[in-house]
Amino acid sequence: MDLEEPIIIDKVEVNQKTCYHCGEPVRNTNNVIEDKQFCCSGCKTVYEIINENDLCDYYSIDETPGLKQDKQIRKGKFDLLESDEVKSKLITFKDQNHSHVVFYLPQIHCSSCIWILEHLNRINPDIIKSQVNFLKREITVIYNHHRTDLKVVAENLALIGYEPHVSLNDIDGKKIKKYDASKILKLGIAGFCFGNIMMLSFPEYFAIAEEGDLKLKSLFAYLNLALSLPVFFYCSADFFVSGYKGIKQSFLNIDAPIALAILITFGRSVFEILTDTGAGYLDSMSGIVFFMLIGRYVQTRTYDTISFDRDFKSYFPLGITIIENEHEIQKPVSSIKVGDIIKIHNDEIIPADGILFLGKAEIDYSFVTGESKPISKNIGELVYAGGKQVNAAIQLKVVKEVTQSYLTKLWNTEAFRAGAKEDPHQSFIHKLSKYFTYILFSIAIVSAIYWSIYDSSKVWSAVTAVLIVACPCALLLSATFTNGNFIRILNKYGLYVKNERTIEALSKITSIVFDKTGTITEQGESTVTFEGKALTNYQSRLIKSLTYASNHPLSRDIYKYLPITKLFPINFYKQHLGMGVSGQIDDHLIEIGSSSFIGIKSDTKFDGSFVHIKIDGEYLGGFRINNKYRTGLNQIIKKLAQSYRLKLVSGDNELERPYLETLFPKKTELLFNQKPLHKLDVIKAAQQRGEKVLMVGDGLNDAGALKQSDVGLAISDNSNNFSPACDAILLGSNFKLLDSLIRFANKQKFIINASFILSILYNVIGLSFAVQGILMPVVAAILMPISSLSIIFLTTILSSFFEKRLLNDKNHF
């Protein structure tokens, strides 16, 4: 039969009888555009839309990347999305012009999907941006709600073959974890059949040769064949599907040799049983499938566990002020409930959606949108989570419980990534695994040729064992499970890292730069005295009203020191980073801050910090605040000084220099009166000298330095001063563990290397036995998942060992 010549389109070879869009067989030749044939009108329509919008590069990334579109989208299917109530529950963020929505798209399966979905703005120019989360099969769409609608966005996605999955659980705000029960069913069926095939194979194992028993052996052989059918056609289907998809994309994945080994074993067994030349190897075939499924199940469950811990990482150590019975109570963010009245200070992140209840809101949503221009909100308007209040303190009535996973996603947004380099171990491992299957097939072919010459009876055993025993999974798991364990353990001790790259960067630091106030000092533990003209009750009330709006540790100390009184509303508020705050209250201008900000000469003859006060241009004196330094600071500094170059940069004056010189080693650079820009310059200068810098600050005036540093660490003392520029957050109560936590992070590289070496040794030893033909296929099937389990075991044991040695030390002060 003559074969039709293939057509070359955009360097992609497509058979005329194959759908240009999805690759399915073409049975109806009516769906044709030029020289491109389509299996159905749906695929043809999708192609027309893609072609009209100049998106045909979609087809050049992967061959036939689309999905079959034989189902028509029901008219009016997305009408529900026109409801304001539904929109309010699906939209994650909304400002004056733009809305953000996240859709679940189960159809996402390849790089072409990502490419076309991230170019939605060509199909609908009112879509500002679209970003795909491949692992979660989700897309975040930002669109102009004045020009287009949520329903139109959903229809745009559906038209190109990515119909969004919108369920009642999404609308109700509930997330039900999907679990594939078929995996358990396949594992159960494979285990049942494997056990029974083993039992029915006893006559063969014990070489029963009596004539009467030969008939029994034949009966058992056919029973084994019947039991093997569900194992081959159902339980092992995932290996064949995965292998086929890889070949279709011109890539040999690890499932390809496994599928080939199963096929060879089953095919040879069927031949032997039907020709009565042997009992076959159905026990090996079913054993291969059963033990491979066990390995995949354990691996998936372990991944899920790491993902679960990672989600709980998002319970940031943030505190929030909740108003109860006119009293302010500090509570963790995770305890916020719908209906709570929460207070948001100046420069605090808003953790939950709420209605503005009191005050004037000026919200900086750069954390969400990347645009720093503040948005004004009036009382009664909805304020979305993720923004930062840049005006005086406000109160919100919570309408949606805090979504820590949403804050985590924002924390990892591209705008705040520190640009950490990819882990070289991971990149090497992935490069190796890419060619692993090609190397594996080469070894199998060489083994087959060798044994066909010297001992043909070992050809099948050697080839099958080689195809099964080798496993790149262990190589890939080396970094994955190590990082997962480290994130979990660091969370346990109050260090919350943005991602695994932060752990790697933390292990490479050579220099540590400390801020002073709120970082190495205890918040809320200082002693405050006023020096100057005696304050009237009215003046005290004005000052307390202004400090109420500020989130700076010194402002909080002053606010707590002044007597309880009814506060004035603030007409105008401005924070001067690193200098002080000012505000217009009851027709008076109040200024609180450093001597340079107030405009007087600094006096450094006393200990402590000094906050100066001016009302309507008249200098009244100031508050002397004697700081209490963190427990164990002296020991921490001594330990860190042994391995790192230390430096202190502070926005305060030099009042406490003499005391700090006794804490830090000689020749340590202690810099005072440093504005935020100066702190940033200090970090840059150190990096230009080749140093890897850890910046430890409180997240308030240090955002620039935190972002510039190789690792930015924010200290949190039950206050919502989290900065999106930081790479990690440390509970203030666990500051004494800083040295141990850094030393623990240094062990990451050691554990990854150890597990990597173990996985290499496993593959070398396993293949050396397999090519000799002395490793039974069923034994190889048992060893392969054991290799993955050994990596899990090693990383867990070593992580726990270093945790106990470095972090769970009873000698911690």
Side-chain angles (χ1 to χ4, degrees), residues 395-434:
Q395 293 183 16
L396 301 174
K397 185 173 183 179
V398 177
V399 296
K400 186 184 291 186
E401 289 186 9
V402 61
T403 306
Q404 283 85 7
S405 59
Y406 175 63
L407 295 179
T408 306
K409 183 174 73 173
L410 293 177
W411 194 17
N412 278 280
T413 191
E414 292 179 3
F416 297 104
R417 286 180 183 167
K421 295 182 180 179
E422 184 182 359
D423 185 351
H425 295 282
Q426 284 192 349
S427 59
F428 168 71
I429 292 169
H430 282 283
K431 287 178 182 177
L432 178 61
S433 64
K434 181 178 179 180

Side-chain angles (χ1 to χ4, degrees), residues 597-767:
F597 174 64
I598 298 296
I600 65 169
K601 186 178 179 181
S602 177
D603 185 355
T604 60
K605 63 182 179 180
F606 298 106
D607 292 336
S609 299
F610 202 91
V611 180
H612 302 270
I613 307 294
K614 253 187 183 182
I615 297 181
D616 293 330
E618 180 185 359
Y619 180 71
L620 302 180
F623 295 91
R624 185 170 301 283
I625 301 171
N626 291 310
N627 296 307
K628 178 182 178 183
Y629 286 90
R630 294 193 183 274
T631 303
L633 178 63
N634 190 30
Q635 294 94 321
I636 282 289
I637 296 300
K638 285 181 179 178
K639 288 184 177 181
L640 292 174
Q642 296 173 9
S643 306
Y644 307 101
R645 182 176 180 178
L646 306 183
K647 186 175 294 186
L648 177 76
V649 291
S650 174
D652 290 346
N653 54 41
E654 301 191 28
L655 293 177
E656 298 190 0
R657 175 185 284 275
Y659 175 71
L660 289 170
E661 286 178 342
T662 65
L663 286 179
F664 285 86
K666 292 181 179 180
K667 298 183 179 180
T668 297
E669 195 171 5
L670 305 178
L671 303 176
F672 297 91
N673 299 307
Q674 299 293 298
K675 295 180 180 179
L677 188 59
H678 296 152
K679 296 180 182 180
L680 179 62
D681 291 338
V682 169
I683 302 295
K684 285 182 177 180
Q687 291 173 328
Q688 289 171 358
R689 293 193 298 269
E691 298 179 24
K692 299 292 184 181
V693 183
L694 167 65
M695 173 67 196
V696 186
D698 62 0
L700 292 172
N701 300 325
D702 311 313
L706 288 169
K707 185 177 180 181
Q708 177 64 38
S709 62
D710 296 278
V711 180
L713 176 62
I715 306 297
S716 176
D717 279 293
N718 196 31
S719 60
N720 196 2
N721 58 4
F722 163 63
S723 168
C726 70
D727 300 296
I729 307 169
L730 176 63
L731 280 174
S733 58
N734 285 359
F735 182 82
K736 61 185 179 182
L737 298 177
L738 180 59
D739 172 65
S740 298
L741 289 167
I742 295 175
R743 286 191 289 132
F744 177 72
N746 290 339
K747 301 300 179 183
Q748 177 215 33
K749 185 177 180 180
F750 171 82
I751 297 177
I752 289 178
N753 288 339
S755 56
F756 178 75
I757 291 170
L758 177 64
S759 62
I760 289 291
L761 287 175
Y762 160 79
N763 281 286
V764 170
I765 295 172
L767 285 171

Side-chain angles (χ1 to χ4, degrees), residues 238-239 242-243 246-247 251-261 292 296 299 433-438 440-441 466-474 476 763 784:
D238 289 344
F239 300 108
S242 175
I247 293 172
F251 176 72
L252 286 175
N253 58 32
I254 188 57
D255 285 337
I258 295 172
L260 182 60
M292 288 301 302
R296 294 290 170 89
Q299 180 176 318
S433 64
K434 181 178 179 180
Y435 300 103
F436 189 91
T437 307
Y438 295 99
L440 183 58
F441 272 118
V466 166
L467 293 174
I468 297 169
V469 74
C471 179
C473 305
L476 300 174
N763 281 286
M784 185 177 178

